[in-house]
C-alpha cells in the first residue's frame, strides 16, 4: 500500500501566499511533512515576464527569482507547520551560502526542496535547493520570519 502524499494545487497555494501573478513562483506542492520538509514545483515557461530582458538572446531565469521561489516554498512549509493565522505572513529574512550550479531556462521544471532546520526567536531556518532533472541548480540556507500585517 502506498503512502498518501500531502499535495497542494495553485488555488490552495494562493490561500497561503500573499503573492499574485506574475510573482507567484510555486505552481504546485508535490508533498510536505509539517515541521520537516516540503517539495514543490515551478514550471518555467518562455512566457515568463522576465525572459524578454534576461536575456533576449539566451533566456535564463534570474538567480534571485530561483531564491524567491525557494523562499515562497519555505513560507508554505512554515504555514503548514505552525498554522495559518488571519493577517499574518512569512517574510524572507535572510540568505546564506547561496550557490548556482547551472542556468534554468524555458521548458525546465524547477523542483523546489526545503527542509526545516531550526527556529530561533520567531525566525525559521531552512536548507533549500532547486533541481532540474534531478540535478541541483541552486542551493542556499534561508531564513523566514513571521510577521503580522
Amino acid at each position: 500500500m502506498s503512502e498518501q502524499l500531502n499535495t497542494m494545487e495553485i488555488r490552495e497555494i494562493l490561500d497561503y501566499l500573499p503573492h499574485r501573478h506574475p510573482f507567484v513562483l510555486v505552481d504546485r506542492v508535490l508533498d510536505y511533512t509539517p515541521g520537516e520538509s516540503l517539495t514543490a514545483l515551478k514550471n518555467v515557461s518562455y512566457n515568463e515576464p522576465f525572459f524578454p530582458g534576461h536575456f533576449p538572446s539566451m533566456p535564463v531565469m534570474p538567480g534571485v527569482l530561483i531564491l524567491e521561489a525557494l523562499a515562497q516554498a519555505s513560507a508554505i512549509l512554515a504555514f503548514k507547520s505552525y498554522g495559518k493565522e488571519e493577517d499574518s505572513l512569512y517574510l524572507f529574512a535572510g540568505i546564506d551560502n547561496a550557490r548556482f550550479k547551472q542556468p534554468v531556462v524555458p521548458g525546465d521544471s524547477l523542483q523546489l526542496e526545503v527542509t526545516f532546520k531550526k527556529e530561533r526567536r520567531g525566525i525559521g531556518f531552512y536548507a533549500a535547493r532547486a533541481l532540474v532533472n534531478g540535478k541541483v541548480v541552486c542551493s542556499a540556507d534561508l531564513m523566514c520570519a513571521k510577521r503580522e500585517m
Side-chain angles (χ1 to χ4, degrees):
M1 192 154 118
S2 66
E3 185 177 320
Q4 179 70 27
L5 298 177
N6 290 315
T7 62
M8 295 172 68
E9 298 299 324
I10 191 64
R11 287 187 190 115
E12 186 178 1
I13 290 167
L14 293 174
D15 288 340
Y16 286 85
L17 294 178
H19 309 80
R20 293 298 178 261
H21 178 78
F23 219 72
V24 177
L25 298 175
V26 176
D27 293 326
R28 175 179 294 129
V29 173
L30 303 175
D31 192 21
Y32 66 89
T33 302
E36 291 182 23
S37 64
L38 179 137
T39 301
L41 186 66
K42 165 64 179 153
N43 291 308
V44 182
S45 164
Y46 183 74
N47 295 324
E48 305 284 352
F50 48 81
F51 281 136
H54 198 270
F55 301 102
S57 62
M58 185 183 159
V60 175
M61 184 174 185
V64 296
L65 293 181
I66 298 169
L67 293 170
E68 174 64 27
L70 290 167
Q72 290 180 19
S74 297
I76 295 168
L77 178 57
F79 276 126
K80 286 297 189 179
S81 299
Y82 301 112
K84 184 174 184 319
E85 298 172 17
E86 197 67 33
D87 297 329
S88 68
L89 71 151
Y90 285 89
L91 299 175
F92 197 8
I95 184 165
D96 290 317
N97 306 314
R99 297 290 180 265
F100 300 95
K101 306 292 185 183
Q102 71 181 48
V104 175
V105 298
D108 284 345
S109 289
L110 195 59
Q111 184 169 315
L112 310 167
E113 298 179 350
V114 294
T115 303
F116 175 75
K117 291 170 41 177
K118 65 183 175 181
E119 186 271 333
R120 185 178 298 145
R121 296 183 184 166
I123 297 176
F125 293 79
Y126 300 85
R129 62 187 201 154
L131 301 93
V132 172
N133 296 325
K135 289 183 169 180
V136 175
V137 296
C138 175
S139 62
D141 296 318
L142 305 179
M143 290 163 262
C144 189
K146 183 177 180 180
R147 294 293 180 254
E148 303 304 320
M149 291 191 288

